[in-house]
Coordinates of all heavy atoms in Angstrom, one line a residue:
M1 N 91.9 104.4 100.9 CA 92.4 103.2 100.1 C 93.4 103.8 99.0 O 94.5 103.3 99.0 CB 91.3 102.4 99.5 CG 91.7 101.2 98.6 SD 92.9 100.1 99.5 CE 93.4 99.1 98.2
I2 N 92.9 104.7 98.2 CA 93.7 105.3 97.2 C 94.9 105.9 97.7 O 96.0 105.7 97.3 CB 93.0 106.3 96.3 CG1 91.9 105.5 95.5 CG2 93.9 107.1 95.4 CD1 90.8 106.4 94.8
R3 N 94.7 106.7 98.8 CA 95.7 107.3 99.6 C 96.8 106.4 100.1 O 97.9 106.6 100.1 CB 95.1 108.2 100.7 CG 96.0 109.2 101.3 CD 96.4 110.3 100.3 NE 97.4 111.3 101.0 CZ 98.2 111.9 100.4 NH1 98.5 111.7 99.1 NH2 99.1 112.7 101.0
D4 N 96.4 105.3 100.6 CA 97.3 104.2 101.1 C 98.3 103.8 100.1 O 99.5 103.6 100.3 CB 96.5 103.0 101.6 CG 95.8 103.1 102.9 OD1 95.9 104.2 103.5 OD2 95.1 102.2 103.3
I5 N 97.7 103.6 98.9 CA 98.6 103.0 97.8 C 99.6 104.2 97.4 O 100.8 103.9 97.2 CB 97.8 102.6 96.5 CG1 97.0 101.3 97.1 CG2 98.7 102.2 95.4 CD1 96.0 100.9 96.1
E6 N 99.1 105.4 97.3 CA 100.0 106.5 96.9 C 101.0 106.7 98.0 O 102.2 106.9 97.6 CB 99.1 107.8 96.9 CG 99.0 108.4 95.5 CD 98.3 109.7 95.5 OE1 98.5 110.5 96.4 OE2 97.5 109.9 94.7
L7 N 100.6 106.5 99.2 CA 101.7 106.7 100.3 C 102.8 105.7 100.2 O 103.9 105.9 100.5 CB 101.0 106.8 101.7 CG 100.2 108.0 102.0 CD1 99.5 107.8 103.3 CD2 101.1 109.3 101.9
A8 N 102.4 104.4 99.8 CA 103.3 103.4 99.6 C 104.3 103.7 98.4 O 105.5 103.5 98.7 CB 102.5 102.0 99.3
F9 N 103.8 104.3 97.4 CA 104.6 104.6 96.3 C 105.6 105.8 96.8 O 106.8 105.7 96.4 CB 103.9 105.2 95.1 CG 103.1 104.1 94.3 CD1 102.1 104.4 93.4 CD2 103.5 102.7 94.5 CE1 101.5 103.4 92.7 CE2 102.8 101.7 93.8 CZ 101.8 102.1 92.8
I10 N 105.1 106.6 97.5 CA 105.9 107.7 98.1 C 107.1 107.3 98.9 O 108.2 107.6 98.8 CB 105.1 108.7 98.8 CG1 104.3 109.6 97.8 CG2 105.9 109.7 99.7 CD1 103.1 110.4 98.4
K11 N 106.8 106.2 99.7 CA 107.8 105.6 100.6 C 108.9 105.0 99.8 O 110.1 105.1 100.1 CB 107.2 104.7 101.6 CG 106.3 105.3 102.7 CD 105.6 104.3 103.6 CE 104.6 105.0 104.4 NZ 103.7 104.0 105.1
I12 N 108.5 104.2 98.8 CA 109.5 103.6 97.9 C 110.4 104.8 97.2 O 111.5 104.5 97.3 CB 108.9 102.9 96.8 CG1 107.9 101.8 97.3 CG2 109.9 102.3 95.8 CD1 108.5 100.6 97.9
H13 N 109.8 105.9 96.8 CA 110.5 106.9 96.2 C 111.6 107.5 97.3 O 112.8 107.6 96.9 CB 109.7 108.1 95.9 CG 109.3 108.1 94.4 ND1 110.1 108.4 93.4 CD2 108.1 107.8 93.8 CE1 109.5 108.3 92.3 NE2 108.1 107.9 92.5
I14 N 111.1 107.7 98.5 CA 112.0 108.2 99.6 C 113.2 107.2 99.8 O 114.3 107.6 99.9 CB 111.2 108.4 100.8 CG1 110.2 109.5 100.6 CG2 112.1 108.7 102.0 CD1 109.2 109.7 101.8
L15 N 112.9 106.0 99.9 CA 113.9 105.0 100.2 C 114.9 104.9 99.0 O 116.2 104.9 99.2 CB 113.4 103.6 100.5 CG 112.6 103.4 101.8 CD1 112.0 102.1 101.8 CD2 113.6 103.6 103.0
Y16 N 114.4 104.9 97.8 CA 115.2 104.9 96.6 C 116.2 106.1 96.6 O 117.3 105.9 96.3 CB 114.3 104.9 95.3 CG 115.1 105.2 94.1 CD1 115.9 104.1 93.5 CD2 115.2 106.5 93.5 CE1 116.6 104.3 92.4 CE2 115.9 106.6 92.3 CZ 116.5 105.6 91.7 OH 117.3 105.9 90.6
H17 N 115.7 107.3 96.9 CA 116.5 108.5 96.9 C 117.5 108.5 98.0 O 118.7 108.9 97.8 CB 115.7 109.7 96.7 CG 115.1 109.8 95.4 ND1 115.8 110.2 94.3 CD2 113.8 109.7 95.0 CE1 114.9 110.2 93.2 NE2 113.7 109.9 93.7
A18 N 117.1 108.0 99.2 CA 117.9 108.0 100.4 C 119.1 106.9 100.1 O 120.0 107.0 100.8 CB 117.1 107.7 101.6
D19 N 118.9 106.0 99.2 CA 119.9 105.1 98.9 C 120.9 105.7 98.0 O 122.2 105.3 97.9 CB 119.3 103.9 98.2 CG 120.3 102.7 97.9 OD1 121.2 102.6 98.7 OD2 120.0 102.0 97.0
K20 N 120.6 106.7 97.1 CA 121.4 107.4 96.2 C 122.3 108.5 96.9 O 123.4 108.7 96.5 CB 120.6 108.0 95.0 CG 119.8 107.1 94.2 CD 120.6 106.5 93.0 CE 119.9 105.3 92.6 NZ 120.7 104.1 92.5
E21 N 121.7 109.2 97.7 CA 122.2 110.4 98.4 C 121.5 110.8 99.7 O 120.5 110.2 100.0 CB 122.2 111.5 97.4 CG 120.8 112.1 97.0 CD 120.7 112.8 95.8 OE1 121.7 113.2 95.3 OE2 119.7 112.9 95.3
R22 N 122.1 111.6 100.4 CA 121.4 112.2 101.6 C 120.2 113.0 101.1 O 120.2 113.7 100.1 CB 122.2 113.2 102.4 CG 123.4 112.5 103.0 CD 124.0 113.4 104.0 NE 124.2 114.8 103.6 CZ 124.7 115.8 104.5 NH1 124.9 115.5 105.7 NH2 124.9 117.0 104.0
V23 N 119.1 112.8 101.7 CA 117.9 113.5 101.4 C 117.3 114.4 102.6 O 117.6 114.2 103.8 CB 116.7 112.6 100.9 CG1 117.1 111.9 99.6 CG2 116.3 111.6 102.0
F24 N 116.5 115.4 102.3 CA 115.9 116.2 103.4 C 114.5 116.6 102.9 O 114.2 116.5 101.7 CB 116.8 117.5 103.8 CG 117.0 118.4 102.6 CD1 116.2 119.5 102.5 CD2 118.0 118.1 101.6 CE1 116.4 120.4 101.3 CE2 118.2 119.0 100.6 CZ 117.3 120.2 100.4
G25 N 113.7 117.0 103.9 CA 112.3 117.2 103.6 C 111.9 118.0 102.4 O 111.1 117.6 101.5
I26 N 112.3 119.3 102.4 CA 112.0 120.2 101.2 C 112.4 119.6 100.0 O 111.7 119.6 98.9 CB 112.6 121.6 101.5 CG1 112.2 122.1 102.8 CG2 112.1 122.5 100.3 CD1 110.8 122.6 103.0
G27 N 113.6 119.1 99.9 CA 114.2 118.5 98.6 C 113.4 117.3 98.2 O 113.1 117.2 97.0
L28 N 112.9 116.5 99.2 CA 112.0 115.4 98.7 C 110.7 115.8 98.2 O 110.2 115.3 97.3 CB 111.8 114.5 99.9 CG 112.9 113.5 100.3 CD1 112.6 112.9 101.7 CD2 113.1 112.4 99.2
M29 N 110.1 117.0 98.9 CA 108.8 117.5 98.4 C 108.9 117.8 96.9 O 108.0 117.6 96.1 CB 108.3 118.5 99.2 CG 107.8 118.0 100.6 SD 107.5 119.4 101.7 CE 106.3 120.4 100.8
Q30 N 110.1 118.6 96.6 CA 110.3 119.0 95.2 C 110.4 117.9 94.3 O 109.8 117.8 93.2 CB 111.4 119.9 95.1 CG 111.2 121.3 95.9 CD 112.5 122.0 96.2 OE1 113.6 121.6 96.0 NE2 112.3 123.3 96.5
E31 N 111.2 116.9 94.7 CA 111.4 115.6 93.9 C 110.1 114.9 93.6 O 109.8 114.6 92.4 CB 112.4 114.8 94.5 CG 113.1 113.8 93.5 CD 112.3 112.6 93.2 OE1 111.5 112.1 94.1 OE2 112.3 112.2 92.0
L32 N 109.4 114.8 94.7 CA 108.0 114.0 94.5 C 107.0 114.8 93.7 O 106.2 114.1 92.9 CB 107.5 113.8 95.9 CG 108.2 112.7 96.7 CD1 107.8 112.8 98.3 CD2 107.9 111.4 96.2
A33 N 107.1 116.1 93.8 CA 106.2 116.9 92.9 C 106.5 116.7 91.4 O 105.6 116.8 90.7 CB 106.4 118.4 93.3
E34 N 107.8 116.4 91.1 CA 108.1 116.1 89.7 C 107.4 114.9 89.2 O 107.2 114.7 88.0 CB 109.7 116.0 89.5 CG 110.3 117.3 89.5 CD 111.8 117.2 89.5 OE1 112.3 116.1 89.0 OE2 112.5 118.1 90.0
H35 N 107.1 114.0 90.1 CA 106.4 112.7 89.8 C 104.9 112.8 90.0 O 104.2 111.9 90.2 CB 106.9 111.6 90.6 CG 108.4 111.3 90.4 ND1 108.8 110.8 89.3 CD2 109.4 111.5 91.2 CE1 110.2 110.6 89.4 NE2 110.6 111.0 90.6
D36 N 104.4 114.1 90.2 CA 103.0 114.4 90.5 C 102.5 113.9 91.7 O 101.3 113.6 92.0 CB 102.2 113.9 89.3 CG 102.1 114.8 88.2 OD1 102.2 116.1 88.4 OD2 102.0 114.3 87.0
Y37 N 103.4 113.8 92.7 CA 102.9 113.5 94.1 C 103.1 114.8 94.9 O 104.1 115.2 95.2 CB 103.8 112.4 94.8 CG 103.7 111.0 94.1 CD1 104.9 110.5 93.5 CD2 102.6 110.3 94.3 CE1 104.8 109.2 92.9 CE2 102.5 109.0 93.7 CZ 103.7 108.5 93.0 OH 103.5 107.3 92.5
F38 N 101.9 115.3 95.3 CA 102.0 116.6 96.0 C 101.7 116.3 97.5 O 100.6 115.9 97.8 CB 101.0 117.7 95.4 CG 101.4 118.0 94.0 CD1 100.7 117.3 93.0 CD2 102.5 118.8 93.7 CE1 101.1 117.6 91.7 CE2 102.8 119.1 92.4 CZ 102.2 118.5 91.4
I39 N 102.7 116.5 98.3 CA 102.7 116.1 99.7 C 103.0 117.3 100.6 O 104.0 117.9 100.3 CB 103.5 114.8 99.8 CG1 103.5 114.2 101.3 CG2 105.0 115.0 99.5 CD1 104.1 112.9 101.4
S40 N 102.3 117.5 101.7 CA 102.5 118.6 102.5 C 103.5 118.2 103.6 O 103.8 116.9 103.8 CB 101.3 119.0 103.2 OG 100.9 118.1 104.2
P41 N 104.3 119.1 104.2 CA 105.2 118.7 105.3 C 104.5 118.0 106.3 O 105.1 117.1 107.0 CB 105.7 120.1 105.8 CG 105.4 121.1 104.7 CD 104.3 120.6 103.9
G42 N 103.3 118.4 106.7 CA 102.4 117.6 107.7 C 102.3 116.1 107.5 O 102.0 115.4 108.3
T43 N 102.5 115.8 106.1 CA 102.3 114.3 105.8 C 103.7 113.7 105.7 O 103.9 112.6 106.1 CB 101.5 114.2 104.5 OG1 100.3 114.8 104.5 CG2 101.3 112.8 104.1
L44 N 104.6 114.5 105.1 CA 105.9 114.0 104.8 C 106.7 113.6 106.1 O 107.3 112.6 106.2 CB 106.7 114.9 103.9 CG 108.1 114.4 103.5 CD1 108.1 113.2 102.8 CD2 108.9 115.6 102.8
Y45 N 106.8 114.6 107.0 CA 107.6 114.4 108.2 C 107.2 113.3 109.0 O 108.2 112.5 109.5 CB 107.7 115.7 108.9 CG 108.6 116.8 108.2 CD1 108.1 117.8 107.5 CD2 110.1 116.6 108.2 CE1 108.9 118.7 106.7 CE2 110.8 117.4 107.4 CZ 110.3 118.5 106.7 OH 111.1 119.3 106.1
P46 N 106.0 113.0 109.3 CA 105.6 111.7 110.0 C 106.0 110.5 109.2 O 106.4 109.5 109.9 CB 104.1 111.8 110.1 CG 103.7 113.4 110.0 CD 104.8 113.9 109.0
I47 N 106.1 110.5 107.9 CA 106.5 109.4 107.1 C 108.0 109.2 107.3 O 108.5 108.1 107.6 CB 106.2 109.6 105.5 CG1 104.8 109.5 105.3 CG2 107.0 108.5 104.8 CD1 104.3 109.8 103.8
L48 N 108.7 110.3 107.3 CA 110.2 110.2 107.6 C 110.5 109.7 109.0 O 111.3 108.9 109.1 CB 110.8 111.6 107.4 CG 110.9 112.0 105.9 CD1 111.3 113.4 105.8 CD2 111.8 111.2 105.0
N49 N 109.7 110.2 109.9 CA 109.9 109.6 111.3 C 109.6 108.1 111.5 O 110.3 107.5 112.1 CB 108.9 110.4 112.3 CG 109.4 111.8 112.6 OD1 110.6 112.0 112.5 ND2 108.6 112.7 112.9
K50 N 108.6 107.7 110.7 CA 108.1 106.3 110.8 C 109.3 105.4 110.1 O 109.6 104.4 110.7 CB 106.9 106.2 110.0 CG 106.3 104.7 109.9 CD 105.5 104.4 111.1 CE 104.7 103.1 111.0 NZ 105.5 102.0 110.8
L51 N 109.7 106.0 108.9 CA 110.8 105.2 108.3 C 112.0 105.1 109.2 O 112.8 104.0 109.2 CB 111.1 105.8 106.9 CG 110.0 105.6 105.8 CD1 110.4 106.4 104.7 CD2 109.8 104.1 105.5
E52 N 112.3 106.1 109.9 CA 113.5 106.0 110.8 C 113.2 105.1 112.1 O 114.1 104.4 112.4 CB 113.8 107.5 111.2 CG 115.2 107.5 112.1 CD 115.7 108.8 112.4 OE1 115.0 109.8 112.4 OE2 116.9 109.0 112.7
N53 N 112.0 105.3 112.6 CA 111.7 104.4 113.7 C 111.6 102.9 113.4 O 111.9 102.1 114.1 CB 110.3 104.8 114.3 CG 110.4 106.1 115.1 OD1 111.4 106.5 115.6 ND2 109.2 106.8 115.1
D54 N 111.2 102.7 112.1 CA 111.3 101.3 111.6 C 112.7 100.8 111.3 O 112.9 99.6 110.9 CB 110.4 101.1 110.4 CG 108.9 101.2 110.7 OD1 108.6 101.2 111.9 OD2 108.1 101.4 109.8
G55 N 113.7 101.7 111.4 CA 115.1 101.3 111.2 C 115.5 101.3 109.7 O 116.6 100.7 109.3
L56 N 114.7 101.9 108.8 CA 115.0 102.0 107.4 C 115.8 103.1 107.0 O 116.6 103.1 106.0 CB 113.7 101.9 106.5 CG 112.8 100.6 106.8 CD1 111.5 100.7 106.0 CD2 113.5 99.4 106.5
L57 N 115.7 104.2 107.7 CA 116.4 105.5 107.5 C 117.2 105.9 108.7 O 116.7 105.5 109.9 CB 115.5 106.6 107.1 CG 114.8 106.5 105.8 CD1 114.0 107.8 105.6 CD2 115.7 106.4 104.6
I58 N 118.2 106.5 108.7 CA 118.9 107.2 109.8 C 119.1 108.7 109.5 O 119.3 109.1 108.4 CB 120.1 106.5 110.2 CG1 120.7 107.0 111.4 CG2 121.1 106.6 109.0 CD1 121.6 106.0 112.0
S59 N 118.9 109.5 110.5 CA 119.0 111.0 110.3 C 120.2 111.6 111.1 O 120.7 111.0 112.0 CB 117.7 111.7 110.7 OG 117.6 111.7 112.1
E60 N 120.6 112.7 110.5 CA 121.7 113.6 111.2 C 121.2 115.1 110.9 O 120.7 115.4 109.9 CB 123.0 113.3 110.6 CG 123.1 113.4 109.1 CD 124.5 113.0 108.6 OE1 125.4 113.0 109.3 OE2 124.6 112.7 107.4
K61 N 121.5 115.8 112.0 CA 121.2 117.3 111.9 C 122.3 118.0 111.5 O 123.5 117.7 111.9 CB 120.6 117.7 113.2 CG 119.2 117.3 113.5 CD 118.6 117.9 114.7 CE 117.2 117.4 115.0 NZ 116.9 117.3 116.4
E62 N 122.1 118.9 110.7 CA 123.2 119.9 110.2 C 122.6 121.3 110.0 O 121.4 121.5 109.8 CB 123.6 119.4 108.8 CG 125.1 119.6 108.6 CD 125.6 118.9 107.4 OE1 125.8 117.7 107.4 OE2 125.6 119.5 106.3
T63 N 123.5 122.3 110.3 CA 123.0 123.7 110.2 C 123.3 124.3 108.8 O 124.4 124.1 108.4 CB 123.7 124.6 111.3 OG1 123.5 124.0 112.5 CG2 123.1 126.0 111.3
V64 N 122.3 124.5 108.1 CA 122.4 125.1 106.8 C 121.6 126.6 106.7 O 120.5 126.6 107.1 CB 121.7 124.3 105.8 CG1 121.8 124.9 104.3 CG2 122.2 122.9 105.8
D65 N 122.5 127.6 106.4 CA 121.9 128.9 106.4 C 121.3 129.3 107.8 O 120.2 129.8 107.8 CB 120.9 129.1 105.3 CG 121.5 129.1 103.9 OD1 122.7 129.4 103.8 OD2 120.8 128.7 102.9
H66 N 121.9 129.0 108.8 CA 121.6 129.2 110.2 C 120.3 128.5 110.6 O 119.6 128.8 111.6 CB 121.4 130.7 110.4 CG 122.6 131.6 110.0 ND1 123.8 131.6 110.7 CD2 122.7 132.4 108.9 CE1 124.6 132.3 110.0 NE2 124.0 132.8 109.0
K67 N 119.9 127.5 109.7 CA 118.8 126.7 110.2 C 119.2 125.3 110.4 O 120.0 124.8 109.6 CB 117.6 126.8 109.1 CG 116.9 128.1 109.2 CD 115.7 128.0 108.2 CE 115.3 129.5 107.7 NZ 114.8 129.5 106.4
Q68 N 118.5 124.5 111.3 CA 118.8 123.1 111.4 C 118.0 122.4 110.3 O 116.9 122.5 110.0 CB 118.2 122.6 112.7 CG 119.0 123.0 113.9 CD 119.9 121.8 114.4 OE1 119.5 120.7 114.5 NE2 121.2 122.1 114.6
R69 N 118.8 121.6 109.6 CA 118.3 120.7 108.6 C 118.5 119.2 109.0 O 119.6 118.9 109.4 CB 118.8 121.0 107.2 CG 118.2 120.3 106.1 CD 118.8 120.6 104.7 NE 118.2 121.9 104.2 CZ 118.5 122.4 103.1 NH1 119.6 122.0 102.5 NH2 118.0 123.6 102.6
K70 N 117.4 118.4 108.8 CA 117.6 116.9 109.1 C 117.8 116.2 107.8 O 117.0 116.3 106.9 CB 116.3 116.4 109.8 CG 116.6 115.4 110.9 CD 115.4 115.3 111.7 CE 115.5 114.2 112.7 NZ 114.2 113.9 113.4
Y71 N 118.9 115.6 107.7 CA 119.3 114.8 106.5 C 119.1 113.3 106.8 O 119.4 112.9 107.9 CB 120.7 115.0 106.1 CG 121.0 116.2 105.4 CD1 121.6 117.2 106.1 CD2 120.8 116.4 104.0 CE1 121.9 118.5 105.5 CE2 121.0 117.6 103.4 CZ 121.6 118.7 104.1 OH 121.9 119.7 103.5
Y72 N 118.5 112.6 105.8 CA 118.3 111.2 106.0 C 119.1 110.3 105.0 O 119.2 110.7 103.8 CB 116.8 110.8 105.7 CG 115.8 111.4 106.8 CD1 115.4 112.8 106.6 CD2 115.5 110.8 107.9 CE1 114.5 113.4 107.6 CE2 114.6 111.4 108.9 CZ 114.2 112.7 108.6 OH 113.4 113.2 109.7
T73 N 119.6 109.1 105.5 CA 120.2 108.3 104.5 C 119.7 106.8 104.9 O 119.1 106.6 105.9 CB 121.7 108.2 104.7 OG1 122.1 108.3 106.1 CG2 122.5 109.2 103.9
I74 N 119.8 106.0 103.9 CA 119.2 104.6 104.1 C 120.1 103.8 105.0 O 121.3 104.0 105.0 CB 119.1 103.9 102.7 CG1 118.0 102.9 102.7 CG2 120.3 103.5 102.1 CD1 117.5 102.4 101.4
T75 N 119.5 102.9 105.8 CA 120.3 102.0 106.5 C 120.6 100.6 105.8 O 120.0 100.4 104.7 CB 119.6 101.6 107.9 OG1 118.4 101.0 107.6 CG2 119.3 103.0 108.7
E76 N 121.3 99.6 106.3 CA 121.5 98.4 105.8 C 120.2 97.7 105.7 O 119.9 97.0 104.6 CB 122.5 97.5 106.6 CG 123.9 97.9 106.3 CD 124.3 97.9 104.8 OE1 124.0 97.0 104.2 OE2 124.9 99.0 104.5
S77 N 119.3 97.7 106.7 CA 118.0 97.0 106.6 C 117.1 97.7 105.6 O 116.3 97.1 105.0 CB 117.4 96.8 108.0 OG 117.0 97.9 108.6
G78 N 117.3 99.1 105.5 CA 116.5 99.8 104.5 C 117.0 99.3 103.1 O 116.1 99.2 102.2
K79 N 118.3 99.1 103.0 CA 118.7 98.7 101.6 C 118.1 97.3 101.3 O 117.7 97.1 100.1 CB 120.2 98.6 101.6 CG 120.9 99.8 101.4 CD 122.4 99.8 101.3 CE 123.0 101.1 101.4 NZ 124.3 101.2 101.0
S80 N 118.1 96.4 102.2 CA 117.6 95.0 101.9 C 116.1 95.1 101.7 O 115.6 94.4 100.7 CB 118.0 94.0 102.8 OG 117.4 94.2 104.2
F81 N 115.4 96.0 102.4 CA 113.9 96.1 102.3 C 113.6 96.8 100.8 O 112.9 96.2 100.0 CB 113.4 97.1 103.2 CG 111.9 97.3 103.1 CD1 111.0 96.4 103.5 CD2 111.5 98.6 102.6 CE1 109.5 96.6 103.2 CE2 110.2 98.8 102.4 CZ 109.2 97.9 102.8
L82 N 114.6 97.7 100.5 CA 114.3 98.3 99.1 C 114.5 97.3 98.0 O 113.8 97.2 97.0 CB 115.3 99.5 98.9 CG 115.3 100.3 97.7 CD1 113.8 100.9 97.4 CD2 116.3 101.4 97.5
N83 N 115.6 96.4 98.2 CA 115.8 95.4 97.2 C 114.7 94.4 97.0 O 114.4 94.1 95.9 CB 117.1 94.6 97.5 CG 118.3 95.5 97.1 OD1 118.3 96.2 96.0 ND2 119.5 95.3 97.7
D84 N 114.2 94.0 98.2 CA 113.0 93.2 98.2 C 111.8 93.9 97.4 O 111.1 93.2 96.6 CB 112.6 92.8 99.6 CG 111.4 91.9 99.7 OD1 111.5 91.0 98.9 OD2 110.6 92.0 100.6
M85 N 111.6 95.2 97.7 CA 110.5 96.0 97.0 C 110.8 96.0 95.5 O 110.0 95.9 94.7 CB 110.5 97.4 97.6 CG 109.7 97.3 99.0 SD 108.1 96.7 99.0 CE 108.4 95.2 100.0
K86 N 112.1 96.2 95.1 CA 112.3 96.2 93.7 C 112.0 95.0 93.0 O 111.4 95.0 91.9 CB 114.0 96.4 93.4 CG 114.4 97.9 93.7 CD 115.8 98.0 93.5 CE 116.2 99.4 93.9 NZ 117.7 99.7 93.6
N87 N 112.1 93.8 93.6 CA 111.8 92.6 93.0 C 110.2 92.5 92.9 O 109.7 92.0 91.9 CB 112.3 91.4 93.8 CG 113.8 91.2 93.7 OD1 114.4 91.5 92.7 ND2 114.4 90.8 94.8
R88 N 109.6 93.0 93.9 CA 108.1 93.0 93.9 C 107.6 93.8 92.9 O 106.5 93.6 92.2 CB 107.5 93.3 95.3 CG 107.7 92.2 96.3 CD 107.3 92.7 97.7 NE 107.8 91.8 98.7 CZ 106.9 91.3 99.5 NH1 105.6 91.5 99.4 NH2 107.3 90.5 100.5
I89 N 108.2 95.1 92.7 CA 107.8 96.1 91.7 C 108.0 95.5 90.3 O 107.1 95.6 89.4 CB 108.5 97.4 91.9 CG1 108.0 98.1 93.2 CG2 108.3 98.3 90.7 CD1 109.0 99.2 93.6
H90 N 109.0 94.8 90.1 CA 109.4 94.2 88.8 C 108.2 93.2 88.5 O 107.8 93.1 87.4 CB 110.7 93.5 88.8 CG 111.2 93.0 87.6 ND1 111.6 93.8 86.6 CD2 111.3 91.7 87.1 CE1 111.8 93.1 85.5 NE2 111.8 91.8 85.8
E91 N 107.9 92.2 89.5 CA 106.9 91.3 89.3 C 105.6 91.8 89.0 O 104.9 91.5 88.2 CB 106.9 90.5 90.7 CG 106.2 89.2 90.6 CD 106.9 88.2 89.6 OE1 108.1 88.3 89.4 OE2 106.1 87.5 88.9
L92 N 105.3 92.9 89.8 CA 103.9 93.7 89.7 C 103.9 94.3 88.2 O 102.8 94.3 87.5 CB 103.8 94.7 90.7 CG 102.5 95.5 90.7 CD1 101.4 94.5 91.2 CD2 102.6 96.6 91.8
Y93 N 105.0 94.9 87.9 CA 105.1 95.6 86.6 C 104.8 94.6 85.3 O 104.1 94.8 84.4 CB 106.4 96.3 86.4 CG 106.6 97.0 85.0 CD1 106.2 98.3 84.9 CD2 107.1 96.4 84.0 CE1 106.3 99.0 83.7 CE2 107.3 97.0 82.7 CZ 106.8 98.3 82.6 OH 106.9 99.0 81.4
K94 N 105.5 93.4 85.5 CA 105.3 92.4 84.5 C 103.9 92.0 84.3 O 103.5 91.8 83.1 CB 106.2 91.1 84.9 CG 107.6 91.2 84.4 CD 108.3 89.8 84.4 CE 108.1 89.1 85.8 NZ 108.9 87.9 85.8
E95 N 103.2 91.9 85.5 CA 101.8 91.4 85.3 C 100.9 92.5 84.9 O 99.9 92.3 84.1 CB 101.4 90.8 86.7 CG 99.8 90.4 86.6 CD 99.5 89.3 87.7 OE1 99.9 88.2 87.4 OE2 98.9 89.7 88.7
V96 N 101.0 93.6 85.6 CA 100.0 94.8 85.4 C 100.2 95.7 84.3 O 99.3 96.0 83.6 CB 99.9 95.5 86.7 CG1 99.0 96.7 86.6 CG2 99.5 94.8 87.9
V97 N 101.4 95.9 83.9 CA 101.8 96.9 82.9 C 102.1 96.3 81.5 O 101.5 96.6 80.5 CB 102.8 97.9 83.4 CG1 103.1 99.0 82.3 CG2 102.5 98.6 84.7
S98 N 103.1 95.4 81.6 CA 103.6 94.9 80.2 C 102.8 93.7 79.7 O 101.9 93.2 80.4 CB 105.1 94.6 80.4 OG 105.4 93.7 81.3
Ligands
ZN101 ZN1 111.7 109.8 92.9

């Protein structure tokens, strides 16, 4: 249960950053660690796949330092989902925090 809620927060972070710029696995892990979310590649990559399968993210492969790196960006439906979530977060914040 606690993990479910944490994973939901992590997904919101991922969509938020994918809306600002292209993101990739290791970069996201470092960014999330700054917010005290410690997530392993074995947890993160299935989340990224799921978000892509759900049509919220789209990926492209690129070679960086002779290695394939998968970059993700938000899709149009990802953007509208994120906006909907922002309203809900705002609503939740008003009730629970302030
Ligand atoms: Zn973040």
